[in-house]
Amino acid sequence: MQKDIRYRLLCIGTLLAAALLLLALSFLPRRVSSRPAAAQIQVKTTADHATYRDPLHTLTITEQDGKVCVMRDGIPWIHTETSVHALPEQDRLMLKDGIVVHSEQEMHQLLEDLGV
């Protein structure tokens, strides 16, 4: 009888430890591969163009050398000839901090709004 109680307590303790370990593992950051798995690849179609968000790249509209510039993942991607000095002060301040956009469609719309 004593052995049976000890065995049951050992089993319950083991199950609790396993549950706590699984719970703790669920809070750890997941390793993100630089290459998406086949199931994670999004196919951009014409209908999805306006809402497509590129999970692999960050687009930031900013100012570089006094001109409006688009950075892709922190690297200059599109250089424009539009001087930031010709823009309203509020736009210049936003460009100085960098404006993050989530799609090329959103980027084109913002560039158009800025008069680029």
Side-chain angles (χ1 to χ4, degrees):
M1 176 110 167
Q2 189 84 338
K3 234 182 190 178
D4 189 40
I5 292 174
R6 284 184 185 168
Y7 178 73
R8 287 183 184 194
L9 287 175
L10 180 64
C11 288
I12 291 171
T14 303
L15 288 174
L16 284 174
L20 287 173
L21 179 63
L22 288 174
L23 183 64
L25 288 174
S26 69
F27 287 104
L28 289 176
R30 298 180 195 267
R31 185 174 176 194
V32 179
S33 171
S34 61
R35 186 180 217 186
Q40 295 174 334
I41 295 175
Q42 296 179 359
V43 178
K44 182 166 92 171
T45 64
T46 307
D48 295 335
H49 184 72
T51 58
Y52 176 75
R53 292 181 182 267
D54 189 346
L56 301 178
H57 301 288
T58 300
L59 298 173
T60 306
I61 301 174
T62 188
E63 176 246 334
Q64 187 176 46
D65 299 325
K67 307 281 185 183
V68 176
C69 177
V70 179
M71 308 288 264
R72 185 175 180 176
D73 300 326
I75 300 169
W77 185 45
I78 299 173
H79 296 276
T80 72
E81 293 302 316
T82 304
S83 172
V84 294
H85 302 296
L87 299 173
E89 183 180 356
Q90 184 176 357
D91 291 344
R92 287 194 308 263
L93 293 173
M94 288 178 12
L95 287 171
K96 185 176 181 179
D97 293 336
I99 305 168
V100 176
V101 293
H102 303 285
S103 67
E104 286 188 33
Q105 177 78 16
E106 190 178 347
M107 175 198 68
H108 289 297
Q109 181 63 51
L110 185 56
L111 290 174
E112 184 179 312
D113 292 347
L114 291 170
V116 176

